[in-house]
Each structure stands twice: as C-alpha cells, then as structure tokens.
Amino acid sequence: MTLAEGSSVVEVNGIEIELAVRGRGRPLLFLHPEIGFDRAAPALDRMAENAQVIAPTHPAYGKAKIPSSFNTIDDLAYLYLDLMDALDLREVAMVGLGIGGWIAAEMAVKTTARLTHLVLADAFGIKVGDRETRDIFDMYFVTEADLAKIVHFDQELTKRDLSKLPDDELYAMARAREATSRYGWKPYMHDPKLKGRLHRIRIPTLLLWGAEDRIVAPDYGRAYCAAIPGARFEAIERAGHFPHVERPEEFARLVTGFIEGKERSSQ
Amino acid sequence: MRVFHFTEQPYAPAWKDHGGALRITIPNKRLDPKLAGDLYHRYYDEWQLADEIGFDIMVNEHHSTATCMASTVVVTLSILARITKKARLLVLGYPLVHRPDPLRAAEELSTIDVISRGRLEMGFVKGVPSEFTPSNANPVGVEERFWEAHDFIIKAMTSHDGPFNWESENYHYRQVNIWPRPLQQPHPPVWSTTGSKHNAQRLGEKGYVMATLGTGYATRPLYDAYRAAYREAHHRAPPADRFAYLGLMAVGATEAEARRRGELVADYLRTLPFTPAPFRNPPGFISVDDNVRLMKAAGRPPNRSFTKDGRAINMMTGSVQDLIDAGIMFCGTPDQVYDQVIDFCGHCGGMGNLLSMSHAGFMSHDDTVENLTLFAKEVLPRLKAYRQPDEAAAAAE
C-alpha cells in the first residue's frame, strides 16, 4: 500500500479509512478530535510545511459503513497500528487531539516501534480523580449550543447558524456526535486501565493543552503528563479545548518545534 | 376490545415551581417519602378497583422524574401479581436497553407470570431518549441490543432442559437456567411500542402486539405497515388483538364534568416540555439523517399530531377539544366516549386493546374512582361486546 497525496480511501482489515495526505517530509500521523476534521485545515496546512501530514478520518466519523462491533477506542488503536504497518510508515510523529489523543495514547502503550514523537493535545483517555470527581466535563449534560460556548475560548467562534451550514458539514457534525458516543459513552471518555499503562511510553512526548480548556482542564493534562516518563507539558494561551482551531499557527509551531527538537520553553 | 387502566403513578406535588425541569435533574428532595407512600397506596387501591370492575391493567417505569414514581416496574408488577385477581398485567414497557442484565429481566418476568397465575403481558421497549442519562446505557447500538436482549429472554423462558450458553458482543452468560420458568406457554405474550413503519414491520413479522402511544390520526399508516408484514409472514390478516392504542380517558355523567376531568388528564401531556433540552436527543438514538433534519429545523421537532380532518395540533399545549379532535383523548359522557373510541377504532381498521390513561397529574382519588366506575358501568360492556371491523376487509383496505 502506498500513500497518495490528497484524499483517498484505503482499506485495512476490511475497514475503510478515509485518508487525507498533504505536504512532504517525515510522516506526521494526525488523529482528529471529536469534532472530526471540522476547522482543522489551517493547522494541518502549517504542519504540512515541514512534514507529510497523514490524517485518517476515524471510522464512524466518516461516510464509510463499519460493523456494529467496531465500537471501542482499542478497535481504532489497533486499526491505526495496522495502517502504519500497511503503509510501512517509519519514524512517525503522532499527534492526537481530544478523542484522537486518547487513540494515540492507546496505540503508544501497545508499541512505539514506528514512532519517534508523541503529541497529546487536550486528550481524553484517563481517570485522574476519585470516583466522585468528574474529571471530564459531561458534554451530554448541556445543549450543543451551550457546549460550543464551553469548548471555545473565543466566543465569536460559537456564533454559527447551523441551519445555514451546507449539508456536508451538517452530516459531518451529526456523524461526529454519534461516533464520539459510540466510542466514549461508557466508561465516559476514558479507559480505566490506560493510566496504569502510560509508563510504557518511552519516546519524547509533549502534552499540549489549551490553557482555557474547560472539557479536560490543564490540570488533567498535567496529570496525564506526570504518568508518562519524561513527558513535557505546554499550555497554549487564549485557547479552549481545541487549540488547533483557536490558535492554529501557535499549535503548528509548537508541534513542529517539538518534532524537530528545536523548541524548548519553560513549563 | 380489552381496556387497560393506566396511570404513570405521578408525584404531582412536585409539578409546581419546578423551574423547567420535571425530569432528569429535578432533585429528589422535592419528594416527600411519606406523601409518596400515600400516593403509591392510593394507586394500588385504584388498580385493585379496576381489577374488580373489569379492567385489565397497564404499568410502566421511568427514571429520575416527578411524572412517574415507578422507577422499577418489577416492584409494581410484583405487588399487582398478588393483590389483583383477574386483570391481565401489561408492562409497557420494560425498558430493555436501560437495564444491563436481561437474565435478571427473564427471571423477574417469569416469577411475576407464575405468581399472577399466568396474567403477565410482556411489553418490551427500548427506553425513552432522556433516560440514557440516568441509566448511562450507550444510546448508540440501541436497536441491536434491544433485539438481542429480547432474543435472550425468549430463549431463557423457553429452555427447559438445563443450562445453555450465551456469549455475544453484548451479553455474556455461560450457564443460563432460569427458575421459575413462566406459567404461560411457550412464554407470556410479547408486546412493544412503535412510532415508525420500520419497527411496525418488524413487529408484524413476529406477530407481537403493537402499541402506539397518542399517535392519533397518524396511527393508520403504522398499523398498515404491521398488517402488510404480518400477512407476508403469517399468510393471513392479523386479528385486531394484535393492535393497541394509548389514549387519555375522561368520562363524566355530564359533558361539563368530563371536560373538567379531561383538563386534569391533559396535564400529563403538558409536562412533556419539562424534560431539559440536553437530554431529549442523546447521540445515536435517532439516525444521522434525522439529526440533520433537526439541525436544519433549528432543533424544532416536526409536529406529528393531526386531527381527523388534517389540522395540526400541538399535544403539549392543545385544548381538550384539540386533543379529542386528534384522537389523543377520549372525553365526554359515556355515549360520547363510546362513539369516539369506536370511530377511532374504525380509523385504525380494527384495534383490540385500548390502553386507557384514566388518571394523571392532580386528578383526585374520588375523580379517578368515578372516572373508572362510570366507564366500567356504561362503556366497558359495550366495548367488550363490540365486533371489530371485518378482518379481511380491514386488511384489504
């Protein structure tokens, strides 16, 4: 299997994956967050200036049909490990955001053989506090309109009239909402086993976090960081849960700098 | 026609000053357990009366709500199994998807069938959308888990030669061997509800009793979808007893008295808006296509209630007259109510089970007793004697 620039559909173990490939250079596997690819383009374009960005659409977020039994983050993690094998990707930098960060972490605790760097941005996946502490904001406890206000730092970004969006975007949003629940409803957006396995990640890891994230707060990111040996935590100011949307230039700059080993800043 | 007395066992004292939330988030400090006990006792008294005067009985469950105190319908059924004598005991429904353990469901329902001496009517439902929040069941994959839980329960109830194995994606049991087994053979009758033709077809194939709830003059297409699938699978038209309809019921010696009771029963529909918005449409419960349609309509669901002459009404805000016109409420003197039910039955092309919500909200015990006894005396005998529309003719229409 070889990579084609642009958009294509590849099949791995009978599962169809929509794949976007752009840029040249070392491979950067980008795992999108729970809103799908919505508004990720500016950050992807910047990262593609220094890397070959390979960005799959997680099954159920895209148009392809999948079996009803494909319904855990582990299913996705194994699928993408198989995808890297099928493409024979080497020296990969893996960048996952939100639910994509959770997938990335589940992959990395299995094997980092094909990876050089790991970036987890505003990632879900672990339980930090005690049983009565709500570590992860319950995104289903508020309306979609209120969730948009909580997700974003810049409230201007919340003023989208859904009834005026093109069908393609509406379908992508509807699929994304269902897909996130499919993988993350219970246990809610985490795997109770994952935190105890994070010590297995022995590659340079950056926890990149919106300083104003109210879905998974920066302290959650710091706890994630503490569980991964040698990992570093970096906050992005004036950004909520989706820093790649709110600060695409800064997000891409920090990711690229980390991968190229240039960027160092105080924690 | 059989008639089932139904109340949701509301806790109406909390219906005042609720600040917009009667379900899911309303704190249970709003419930006085002593007063709740009084209400439960009263509802059981009324069901006992209903049993004595010729009704069958319908019960249900809901969660985290002041509109229905029955949070575990097995308790309701257990008590009724012992204190009633003749009535069929219809649970509509047992929310299979909100419950994690179909083995327990099979055991509970079999036990109730035995104690009631074979009077259980076993209505399975998926569960209402808002209650995926309190149950924490995943709303994605509901259809698949519902039918698998159903398959499992039927298998458990009809297996009599020792343990069997059931290990699937959703449920894991190695030695299934329920005691007691149900009294009714091969198992208690199965019912379910529907609001879609797709589901109506599935129920028709299986020949289960299909109920629609307050669907008014939108009922016929659902029944016809059932009829077509039933005929295909069973090579004959379905008898009228395969169909059930839930309507609100208010009779009075005078029309004025009936209308007064009608207002009280209509309060049930008027609580429908007080499910907080975030919980009404959990992810994956309805299809992506339907969700896109909702987004385009800015979240407003389409109005689905229509009068006989095609006028759209809002069942949550409509007047008693609107509800009568839409076939959602049967209300009036005994003669008027009989005529309304028979007319509606004709619209359906035959309907053998009337699920009669004869109590709701603030309706007093005295009013409820009068509503039941007047109906039992003046309407019920005529409905029991009523000859359903010719089955072949209904099927051919």
Side-chain angles (χ1 to χ4, degrees):
Chain A
M1 194 183 285
T2 52
L3 272 180
E5 175 84 14
S7 299
S8 61
V9 176
V10 300
E11 193 178 309
V12 175
N13 288 339
I15 305 287
E16 285 187 351
I17 307 171
E18 294 161 44
L19 214 52
V21 178
R22 59 183 82 169
R24 287 183 182 282
R26 56 180 308 173
L28 186 156
L29 184 64
F30 178 87
L31 302 181
H32 67 71
E34 55 280 10
I35 47 170
F37 273 119
D38 196 16
R39 296 171 289 163
L44 287 180
D45 286 343
R46 291 312 296 266
M47 291 189 291
E49 289 169 9
N50 300 285
Q52 182 184 40
V53 174
I54 303 161
T57 296
H58 312 325
Y61 286 82
K63 292 173 185 161
K65 290 247 181 280
I66 54 167
S68 62
S69 58
F70 193 97
N71 57 11
T72 66
I73 294 293
D74 238 20
D75 290 331
L76 290 161
Y78 281 110
L79 181 73
Y80 290 150
L81 289 172
D82 287 345
L83 174 70
M84 286 201 290
D85 288 349
L87 294 169
D88 194 22
L89 298 180
R90 294 163 196 235
E91 313 245 306
V92 178
M94 182 159 64
V95 180
L97 297 89
I99 199 169
W102 180 8
I103 300 166
E106 295 278 12
M107 291 167 71
V109 298
K110 292 172 174 59
T111 171
T112 52
R114 291 184 180 274
L115 304 177
T116 58
H117 294 77
L118 175 63
V119 179
L120 303 176
D122 302 82
F124 297 104
I126 60 171
K127 177 83 183 129
V128 174
D130 66 18
R131 65 188 182 189
E132 292 181 32
T133 301
R134 208 186 300 280
D135 293 329
I136 302 167
F137 182 81
D138 187 348
M139 296 183 280
Y140 304 110
F141 199 76
V142 294
T143 61
E144 291 287 289
D146 285 342
L147 181 61
K149 292 176 192 160
I150 292 162
V151 160
H152 293 95
F153 171 73
D154 179 358
Q155 294 299 304
E156 284 299 312
L157 294 172
T158 68
K159 294 173 184 163
R160 293 208 299 173
D161 184 351
L162 294 188
S163 61
K164 296 203 170 65
L165 288 180
D167 272 15
D168 269 3
E169 281 187 50
L170 291 178
Y171 271 93
M173 288 173 71
R175 284 195 305 266
R177 185 166 182 262
E178 175 171 328
T180 300
S181 173
R182 176 190 193 92
Y183 299 116
W185 182 271
K186 188 170 96 174
Y188 179 58
M189 299 308 282
H190 76 284
D191 170 358
K193 302 285 189 189
L194 179 58
K195 189 165 170 239
R197 296 170 180 167
L198 290 175
H199 66 90
R200 290 171 47 81
I201 301 175
R202 301 272 179 183
I203 56 171
T205 298
L206 173 67
L207 281 292
L208 199 50
W209 229 263
E212 309 293 337
D213 189 340
R214 289 189 279 162
I215 303 295
V216 275
D219 275 351
Y220 179 93
R222 289 189 185 93
Y224 223 130
C225 182
I228 301 174
R232 221 155 45 69
F233 178 89
E234 185 93 24
I236 299 181
E237 300 300 321
R238 303 194 306 284
H241 183 59
F242 298 122
H244 70 303
V245 171
E246 300 204 68
R247 303 285 310 280
E249 305 265 329
E250 182 67 357
F251 181 86
R253 187 184 71 79
L254 288 169
V255 168
T256 303
F258 172 68
I259 292 168
E260 296 185 349
K262 293 169 188 164
E263 172 260 359
R264 290 280 179 276
S265 66
S266 59
Q267 247 179 298
Chain B
M1 191 183 297
R2 305 191 78 101
V3 182
F4 293 72
H5 165 48
F6 172 55
T7 172
E8 280 216 311
Q9 307 181 65
Y11 186 80
W15 290 19
K16 294 168 179 162
D17 311 322
H18 52 71
L22 272 176
R23 298 180 177 85
I24 313 303
T25 56
I26 181 170
N28 66 16
K29 69 183 173 195
R30 297 291 311 280
L31 177 141
D32 172 353
K34 187 179 172 305
L35 190 49
D38 294 343
L39 282 169
Y40 279 121
H41 283 237
R42 192 198 123 184
Y43 298 145
Y44 286 111
D45 289 346
E46 289 162 7
W47 271 318
Q48 253 181 314
L49 171 70
D51 175 45
E52 285 160 14
I53 62 181
F55 283 92
D56 295 298
I57 289 172
M58 168 176 157
V59 296
N60 72 340
E61 75 175 45
H62 282 293
H63 301 267
S64 304
T65 175
T67 60
C68 174
M69 294 195 299
S71 58
T72 163
V73 74
V74 166
V75 170
T76 316
L77 285 170
S78 305
I79 295 169
L80 291 177
R82 187 68 179 96
I83 67 170
T84 60
K85 301 282 183 254
K86 294 173 298 196
R88 301 293 298 173
L89 302 177
L90 166 64
V91 48
L92 198 66
Y94 193 114
L96 293 184
V97 174
H98 288 314
R99 297 293 191 185
D101 185 358
L103 173 63
R104 186 165 174 128
E107 291 175 330
E108 290 167 346
L109 294 172
S110 291
T111 307
I112 286 157
D113 194 48
V114 169
I115 295 174
S116 70
R117 305 209 185 273
R119 289 185 288 129
L120 178 64
E121 302 277 347
M122 198 159 63
F124 296 133
V125 296
K126 298 179 181 87
V128 294
S130 61
E131 292 169 20
F132 286 90
T133 300
S135 77
N136 208 24
N138 196 331
V140 178
V142 159
E143 181 88 1
E144 178 184 304
R145 275 179 286 136
F146 172 79
W147 283 108
E148 190 188 332
H150 155 276
D151 294 347
F152 174 85
I153 291 167
I154 298 299
K155 167 99 176 170
M157 286 185 164
T158 54
S159 297
H160 308 305
D161 299 317
F164 67 89
N165 191 72
W166 190 286
E167 291 169 288
S168 70
E169 189 75 24
N170 299 307
Y171 302 112
H172 303 266
Y173 304 104
R174 281 177 293 140
Q175 307 290 347
V176 182
N177 181 27
I178 64 164
W179 279 69
R181 65 189 173 106
L183 188 150
Q184 295 180 86
Q185 291 299 314
H187 55 76
V190 176
W191 297 47
S192 191
T193 54
T194 193
S196 76
K197 285 187 193 176
H198 166 76
N199 204 30
Q201 285 160 0
R202 193 145 188 187
L203 296 173
E205 284 163 18
K206 293 192 173 286
Y208 291 159
V209 184
M210 180 180 80
T212 64
L213 316 179
T215 43
Y217 287 96
T219 303
R220 183 67 190 251
L222 298 171
Y223 281 22
D224 285 348
Y226 180 103
R227 288 188 174 105
Y230 186 100
R231 232 175 348 190
E232 183 78 21
H234 304 273
H235 310 296
R236 61 188 168 94
D241 72 1
R242 298 296 87 191
F243 299 102
Y245 180 72
L246 178 87
L248 279 53
M249 182 64 68
V251 299
T254 65
E255 199 172 339
E257 186 181 60
R259 294 285 171 133
R260 182 179 62 76
R261 290 196 183 118
E263 288 292 339
L264 292 168
V265 182
D267 275 350
Y268 160 71
L269 299 173
R270 292 165 188 158
T271 67
L272 293 177
F274 302 118
T275 300
F279 313 118
R280 290 177 201 161
N281 180 24
F285 189 76
I286 63 172
S287 70
V288 166
D289 287 337
D290 285 343
N291 271 310
V292 168
R293 275 192 278 276
L294 267 183
M295 282 193 273
K296 284 182 173 176
R300 284 187 300 276
N303 199 326
R304 64 170 195 154
S305 301
F306 297 94
T307 61
K308 196 174 183 182
D309 52 11
R311 180 169 58 94
I313 70 132
N314 183 334
M315 69 158 74
M316 298 183 263
T317 55
S319 67
V320 164
Q321 187 61 53
D322 286 340
L323 298 175
I324 296 170
D325 292 344
I328 291 168
M329 182 188 288
F330 305 108
C331 174
T333 63
D335 284 347
Q336 288 173 323
V337 163
Y338 176 78
D339 289 344
Q340 289 165 10
V341 171
I342 294 308
D343 187 58
F344 186 76
C345 187
H347 156 76
C348 294
M351 182 272 291
N353 301 281
L354 178 62
L355 312 177
S356 170
M357 190 177 217
S358 343
H359 166 265
F362 294 96
M363 188 186 271
S364 69
H365 176 64
D366 289 347
D367 263 325
T368 309
V369 167
E370 183 61 18
N371 204 19
L372 289 171
T373 50
L374 190 57
F375 186 96
K377 187 158 169 272
E378 302 283 345
V379 187
L380 191 53
R382 281 190 271 173
L383 288 179
K384 283 188 172 173
Y386 169 70
R387 190 173 169 278
Q388 292 283 338
D390 182 74
E391 283 160 20
E397 259 181 64

